[in-house]
Amino acid sequence: MAAGPPGIGRSIIALNRRNTGRRWPKTLCRHALRQHFPRPIYNQRWRIENGFSQHKRRLGSALTARGHQAQRRELVLRVLTRNLMILRGWSGRFQQSRRHCQAAGRKKLPVPCPG
């Protein structure tokens, strides 16, 4: 198996077979990886992508903080907010965009607007 420096996860580079018809890779590491590849873990990427998409739709994609530490704090608070929204089953809309809030205000939708 491919192992990198401590603290760095593994990376998997696709094998270009070039129509050689070979079923198994030549190298020992790739052979072992093919035999012991954790398919259940890598087959769930769509779930995390869906979570990121929901987070950005509901809370917006822009951070307001400028400094590194402030951005980290804001991210932690946003994740906590999203988790609480999921636990509460809140189906309302919340975005940072004022344009969205103004459009929703004209339609008389119950949308909380920041600021």
Side-chain angles (χ1 to χ4, degrees):
M1 303 289 263
I8 297 177
R10 299 180 199 171
S11 64
I12 300 169
I13 300 170
L15 180 64
N16 186 356
R17 296 184 188 279
R18 291 198 172 90
N19 298 325
T20 59
R22 175 180 298 279
R23 254 184 106 178
W24 291 96
K26 283 184 179 181
T27 62
L28 293 175
C29 291
R30 285 195 180 269
H31 186 76
L33 179 64
R34 176 150 180 172
Q35 284 182 327
H36 305 291
F37 187 74
R39 287 199 190 280
I41 295 171
Y42 281 88
N43 208 16
Q44 302 297 318
R45 181 175 176 156
W46 67 272
R47 290 184 190 216
I48 192 66
E49 293 293 342
N50 188 24
F52 285 144
S53 175
Q54 282 181 358
H55 182 92
K56 287 172 117 178
R57 257 186 287 125
R58 292 193 178 175
L59 300 174
S61 61
L63 294 178
T64 57
R66 290 186 174 187
H68 181 70
Q69 287 298 98
Q71 286 178 352
R72 288 184 62 150
R73 282 192 301 268
E74 186 175 347
L75 285 172
V76 168
L77 288 173
R78 288 167 64 105
V79 170
L80 179 65
T81 303
R82 182 176 178 272
N83 288 342
L84 290 173
M85 288 167 57
I86 290 171
L87 286 175
R88 237 182 129 188
W90 190 59
S91 61
R93 307 241 340 145
F94 183 82
Q95 270 193 343
Q96 290 179 344
S97 170
R98 289 190 182 273
R99 185 184 69 193
H100 174 74
C101 294
Q102 289 167 354
R106 280 184 254 140
K107 294 178 186 176
K108 308 255 184 211
L109 295 176
V111 178
C113 294

